[in-house]
């Protein structure tokens, strides 16, 4: 590795090791099964596997599925999992028991939630969204309003334009708390209050905030929310997401994907739909049980670490990375694409670099895994439970080496993969 000769003592590897020695979350590192030689800075995209998740998955497959067969719906409590895990997620996002259900993917959940919000505001036609948001949110709402065929329109507004976009025509604001690319945090309390003062409802996407930053849905009086468990909650590839509906809406809310799991009496096998009371009406059909059980371990780890401690460490890891990049690569063309103020960003930091794609691929070839978002953004995630401060130091050391040796210029790093 390249040696850093001109670094101030506070940015030395010894200083990073000292931070690790004092880290109250240090013991969580061993709870994750990460391969040797990998520094994983992509937990904002897919969290790594907790060892307990692998064990639980194996036990569930071998015992509950293989031996228990269909009896496991009752005996292993499979049927209750969406509610049980939902309640545990509720504790991480400032929601009450009975307000959260784990189910399906985020895109589907957003479809149901936005449909429910629009149905509660039948006289209004405008939905405010941040156009630069992760596109599936836009696509889902575009598809929904096409299906509704009632003349709804999306009013796209970027971060600083959102306040000005909310007026008496707005049925719902549908926003993501932490931006997938820049990592900026929107003011959930302020925007929700403003939307509600204008008579609209607030729907929040927590994909990049659940498990990463403190969230207080009820403290912010949020109406509906969705979120994902495979990013900072380390639930596994494609693990189900979740839906939150404030208690005050549950008796009147309706969603279009009415299926038997959302029926008031699923095993009565009635001909006609009757919505379950409470959050259950937001379910549709049979759930991916193995993916659900796999996700429990990561949710439990997040709860036992505590979001406040996790956030504090994530901020410290990110700031160390930022300072080291500045000190070692200040003139190498990396432009910070996230808020400079750490408190204004979520769990990852983005840098723009004109050669971001081959640099990231070269970095990954050396075991430091971040990701790339077109056209020029490199993202580095600072998930606090399995990263050490020394890992951050080593990651920047490898990045400096990739730049200084020109490794990234190797033609093998230029070919664009299907998933970036
Ligand atoms: C990751 C992410 C999603 C993912 O949606 P899926 O349906 O799980 O693929 C959606 N929205 C945002 C803002 C995200 O960051």
């Amino acid at each position: 590795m390249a040696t850093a000769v001109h670094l101030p003592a506070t940015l030395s590897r010894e200083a990073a090791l000292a931070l690790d020695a004092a880290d109250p979350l240090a013991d969580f590192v061993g709870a994750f099964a990460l391969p040797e030689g990998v520094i994983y800075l992509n937990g904002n995209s897919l969290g790594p596997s907790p060892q307990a998740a692998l064990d639980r998955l194996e036990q569930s497959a071998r015992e509950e599925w293989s031996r228990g067969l269909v009896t496991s719906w009752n005996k292993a409590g499979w049927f209750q999992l969406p509610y049980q895990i939902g309640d545990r997620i509720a504790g991480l996002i400032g929601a009450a028991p009975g307000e959260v259900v784990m189910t399906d993917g985020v895109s589907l959940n957003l479809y149901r939630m936005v449909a429910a919000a629009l149905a509660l505001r039948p006289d209004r036609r405008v939905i405010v969204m941040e156009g630069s948001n992760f596109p599936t949110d836009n696509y889902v709402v575009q598809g929904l309003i096409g299906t509704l065929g009632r003349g709804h329109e999306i009013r796209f507004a970027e971060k600083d334009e959102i306040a000005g976009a909310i007026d008496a025509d707005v049925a719902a604001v549908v926003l993501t708390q932490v931006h997938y690319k820049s990592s900026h945090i929107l003011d959930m309390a302020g925007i929700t209050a403003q939307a509600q003062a204008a008579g609209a409802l607030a729907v929040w996407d927590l994909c990049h905030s659940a498990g990463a930053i403190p969230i207080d849905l009820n403290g912010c009086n949020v109406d509906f929310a969705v979120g994902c468990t495979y990013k900072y909650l380390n639930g596994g590839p494609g693990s189900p997401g979740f839906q939150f509906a404030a208690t005050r809406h549950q008796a009147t809310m309706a969603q279009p994907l009415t299926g038997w799991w959302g029926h008031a009496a699923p095993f009565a096998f009635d001909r006609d739909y009757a919505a379950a009371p409470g959050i259950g009406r937001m379910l549709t059909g049979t759930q991916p049980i193995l993916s659900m059980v796999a996700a429990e371990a990561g949710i439990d780890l997040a709860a036992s670490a505590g979001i406040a401690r996790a956030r504090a460490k994530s901020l410290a890891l990110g700031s160390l990375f930022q300072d080291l990049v500045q000190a070692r690569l200040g003139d190498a063309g990396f432009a910070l694409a996230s808020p400079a103020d750490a408190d204004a960003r979520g769990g990852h930091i983005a840098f723009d670099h004109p050669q971001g794609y081959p640099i990231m691929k070269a970095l990954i070839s050396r075991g430091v895994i971040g990701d790339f978002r077109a056209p020029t953004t490199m993202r580095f995630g600072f998930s606090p439970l399995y990263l050490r401060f020394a890992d951050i130091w080593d990651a920047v050391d490898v990045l400096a080496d990739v730049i200084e040796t020109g490794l990234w210029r190797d033609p093998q790093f230029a070919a664009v993969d299907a998933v970036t």
Side-chain angles (χ1 to χ4, degrees):
M1 286 184 191
T3 24
V5 275
H6 301 302
L7 285 179
T10 52
L11 293 181
S12 66
R13 195 168 193 279
E14 288 65 35
L17 289 170
L19 289 170
D20 283 324
D23 173 13
L25 298 180
D27 287 347
F28 283 83
V29 175
F32 289 85
L34 274 161
E36 274 300 304
V38 163
I39 298 177
Y40 195 61
L41 304 181
N42 209 193
N44 49 301
S45 183
L46 173 64
S49 55
Q51 187 57 53
L54 302 179
D55 296 344
R56 179 76 178 89
L57 192 52
E58 172 152 29
Q59 182 239 350
S60 184
R62 289 194 189 282
E63 291 174 27
E64 297 171 3
W65 180 22
S66 297
R67 289 171 191 269
L69 296 163
V70 75
T71 68
S72 287
W73 286 108
N74 285 316
K75 283 195 190 144
W78 285 353
F79 196 69
Q80 298 306 322
L81 282 176
Y83 302 97
Q84 268 173 17
I85 306 181
D87 282 348
R88 269 139 77 186
I89 295 170
L92 298 173
I93 58 177
E99 288 187 318
V100 177
V101 73
M102 184 189 221
T103 185
D104 299 332
V106 178
S107 303
L108 270 175
N109 291 342
L110 190 72
Y111 190 91
R112 277 185 289 246
M113 287 306 204
V114 176
L118 297 183
L120 289 170
R121 290 293 178 273
D123 301 333
R124 295 174 174 226
R125 291 289 177 274
V126 175
I127 301 147
V128 172
M129 300 184 75
E130 197 176 20
S132 64
N133 189 11
F134 187 74
T136 202
D137 294 41
N138 299 344
Y139 304 161
V140 162
V141 176
Q142 286 166 345
L144 170 66
I145 64 181
T147 303
L148 290 174
R150 292 174 46 225
H152 285 96
E153 61 171 278
I154 301 176
R155 185 177 289 164
F156 285 119
E158 290 308 305
K159 183 158 72 80
D160 300 327
E161 305 158 354
I162 293 168
I166 299 173
D167 61 23
D169 296 329
V170 176
V173 298
V174 180
L175 297 167
T176 297
Q177 189 181 16
V178 173
H179 196 275
Y180 83 103
K181 217 173 186 182
S182 78
S183 195
H184 69 243
I185 303 179
L186 294 181
D187 173 10
M188 177 182 276
I191 295 171
T192 298
Q194 201 207 337
Q196 291 169 348
L201 294 167
V203 183
W204 286 93
D205 180 332
L206 310 177
C207 278
H208 279 274
S209 39
I213 67 171
I215 303 168
D216 190 2
L217 291 181
N218 283 330
C220 296
N221 200 40
V222 167
D223 295 291
F224 298 104
V226 298
C228 119
T229 62
Y230 54 75
K231 291 173 181 163
Y232 291 98
L233 290 173
N234 306 307
S239 59
F242 58 87
Q243 302 175 104
F244 159 88
T247 303
R248 64 183 175 280
H249 294 310
Q250 291 190 2
T252 50
M253 67 187 182
Q255 57 101 353
L257 304 179
T258 50
W260 72 299
W261 276 53
H263 194 279
F267 288 92
F269 299 109
D270 291 339
R271 188 193 70 178
D272 294 325
Y273 182 75
I279 191 72
R281 66 180 58 183
M282 287 293 164
L283 296 177
T284 298
T286 305
Q287 296 304 307
I289 296 300
L290 293 179
S291 289
M292 281 199 166
V293 302
E296 288 184 276
I299 292 162
D300 288 348
L301 283 169
S304 61
I307 291 292
R309 287 200 303 179
R311 171 66 168 164
K313 181 175 172 189
S314 172
L315 286 174
L317 292 167
S319 295
L320 178 62
F321 186 87
Q322 190 184 357
D323 292 347
L324 281 165
V325 168
Q326 178 61 37
R328 297 192 59 178
L329 293 157
D331 52 7
F334 292 93
L336 186 66
S338 294
D341 171 11
D343 288 325
R345 64 191 182 220
H348 72 275
I349 301 183
F351 289 90
D352 283 327
H353 192 291
Q355 303 299 335
Y357 188 75
I359 292 172
M360 182 56 78
K361 283 217 0 194
L363 196 58
I364 292 171
S365 80
R366 296 277 309 273
V368 178
I369 303 181
D371 72 8
F372 177 79
R373 288 292 172 264
T376 55
T377 303
M378 303 171 75
R379 297 191 306 178
F380 299 93
F382 303 99
S383 205
L385 301 190
Y386 47 83
L387 285 170
R388 289 171 284 232
F389 290 92
D391 294 330
I392 302 304
W393 200 95
D394 292 341
V396 178
D397 199 43
V398 174
L399 178 60
D401 194 59
V402 162
I403 300 295
E404 283 154 19
T405 61
L407 176 69
W408 63 271
R409 293 179 197 275
D410 190 311
Q412 65 169 309
F413 302 124
V416 178
D417 296 330
V419 177
T420 62

